[in-house]
Amino acid sequence: MANARLIDGKALAAELRQAIAKAAADIKARHGFQPGLAAVLVGEDPASEVYVKSKGKASLEAGLKSFEHRLPAAASEAELLKLVARLNADPEVDGILVQMPLPKQIDPRHVIGSLDPSKDVDGFHPANVGGLWSGGQALVPCTPYGCLLLLRRTLGNLAGSNAVVLGRSNVVGKPMAALLLAENCTVTIAHSKSRGLPALARQADILVAALGKPEMVKGSWIKPGAAVIDVGINRVAVPGAKDRLVGDVAFAEASQVAGAISPVPGGVGPMTIACLLRNTLLAACRRRGLPEPAL
Ligand code: NAP
């Protein structure tokens, strides 16, 4: 196989953000409000600061309201739960995002469980997880939903494909598997205790790598012509230069075998933020009983 087709997340995310901005303007004109996204940051983790800033900027660019709430690193769980309760009750807030990871004195499960599920734009609340797996209405986690949109755009109908998801986190692997199952794929989920990972991966028409292991997936793991979605974001030190960002897939060799592959950066990353804005808009419409824009 020659070089694989590039799955361009930057381009699709820009398209989606434009559609979201148009839908938000439409909602404002017809119904007189702007959907609002509240981001909560506890502590001063530099990566989290960057994420929260870029989410706020993207919200404003799409015509959504953006609220930022900060608590000190030493904040107690009770303080954070109080803030969440306030945001749950605030009619201007349609989506709440609590940036992870949280300081160790705070149990993320308590925080996720305290969110109003209708405002849980990360899709982590048990009610949304249940909705996703049972085929009900749910807010779906942004990163795997972004991967699904990339796959649909690349392949069209996914039904009947063998899909292998490497990784089983609640944030990526598990919801990705649920989404692919709902598309009628035959789904395998692999993890750190799985035996024979390369052979499992080689069965995949669709391979999603969400391991957090720099360039672990080699070209030899890939079925010729497969669609490969690389979720990984790993910083690798380069002596005497800036860190390099790499995915979980060894891109150069994998792209010699795959039919299509998403790059890092410029693949899944931009889709995640676009899907967060999409969820905020959907949450705003659902909470008010308005028709949902087709996004
Ligand atoms: P995570 O919570 O650390 O989960 C990693 C998963 O990979 C686990 O299920 C783990 O298995 C499995 N795994 C780790 N090492 C393995 C090995 N050697 N063999 C087989 N399986 C192995 O990570 P995550 O939150 O899902 O994120 C995964 C990657 O995606 C990270 O690089 C993260 O930065 C990136 N990410 C990107 C975005 C984006 O917007 N692009 C969003 C979220 C995450 P066990 O369950 O058995 O431990």
Side-chain angles (χ1 to χ4, degrees):
M1 176 86 43
N3 266 339
R5 189 149 53 105
L6 205 67
I7 301 177
D8 188 346
K10 220 167 141 187
L12 185 57
E15 214 178 283
L16 181 56
R17 280 165 66 161
Q18 224 167 33
I20 291 164
K22 191 169 169 297
D26 207 48
I27 288 174
K28 196 173 172 194
R30 281 173 200 240
H31 306 289
F33 76 95
Q34 279 173 280
L37 174 63
V40 178
L41 182 59
V42 186
E44 277 142 26
D45 177 55
S48 296
E49 299 245 8
V50 172
Y51 289 139
V52 166
K53 272 212 170 57
S54 59
K55 286 166 187 171
K57 186 165 166 271
S59 300
L60 295 176
E61 281 169 7
L64 311 187
K65 279 190 185 163
S66 164
F67 309 98
E68 201 179 300
H69 296 268
R70 283 164 176 268
L71 291 177
S76 67
E77 187 174 293
E79 278 175 89
L80 178 55
L81 293 181
K82 205 166 135 196
L83 172 58
V84 169
R86 212 172 82 216
L87 298 173
N88 282 342
D90 186 339
E92 282 211 296
V93 171
D94 294 292
I96 305 170
L97 167 131
V98 181
Q99 186 64 46
M100 305 285 168
L102 291 166
K104 59 180 180 322
Q105 73 275 16
I106 301 178
D107 185 335
R109 286 167 306 179
H110 295 166
V111 179
I112 291 165
S114 75
L115 291 165
D116 175 344
S118 75
K119 296 188 177 188
D120 167 36
V121 283
D122 270 331
F124 297 158
H125 189 285
N128 283 316
V129 176
L132 171 61
W133 282 98
S134 63
Q137 195 178 69
L139 289 166
V140 174
C142 304
T143 298
Y145 195 76
C147 297
L148 178 67
L149 293 182
L150 289 174
L151 285 166
R152 280 194 190 141
R153 174 60 67 93
T154 307
L155 300 174
N157 186 5
L158 312 184
S161 299
N162 272 342
V164 175
V165 180
L166 304 176
R168 59 172 164 182
S169 72
N170 291 331
V171 178
V172 188
K174 282 183 204 159
M176 186 75 248
L179 286 167
L180 291 166
L181 193 58
E183 296 285 313
N184 296 312
C185 294
T186 304
V187 183
T188 303
I189 310 175
H191 46 79
S192 67
K193 306 290 183 293
S194 298
R195 290 197 199 107
L197 224 52
L200 279 176
R202 263 193 303 273
Q203 292 172 11
D205 305 309
I206 294 171
L207 183 64
V208 180
L211 298 160
K213 299 284 171 209
E215 301 183 318
M216 182 171 163
V217 178
K218 307 299 178 203
S220 61
W221 292 31
I222 291 164
K223 178 175 174 176
V228 178
I229 301 287
D230 189 352
V231 184
I233 302 180
N234 310 288
R235 262 173 217 293
V236 179
V238 181
K242 264 176 70 177
D243 288 357
R244 200 164 62 96
L245 216 57
V246 300
D248 289 342
V249 179
F251 182 84
E253 51 184 271
S255 57
Q256 297 300 309
V257 189
I261 186 167
S262 70
V264 177
V268 175
M271 292 301 292
T272 298
I273 292 194
C275 290
L276 177 71
L277 304 178
R278 176 185 177 273
N279 271 354
T280 306
L281 215 68
L282 292 182
C285 292
R286 286 178 191 168
R287 287 176 358 89
R288 293 173 175 80
L290 299 175
E292 288 175 23
L295 289 169

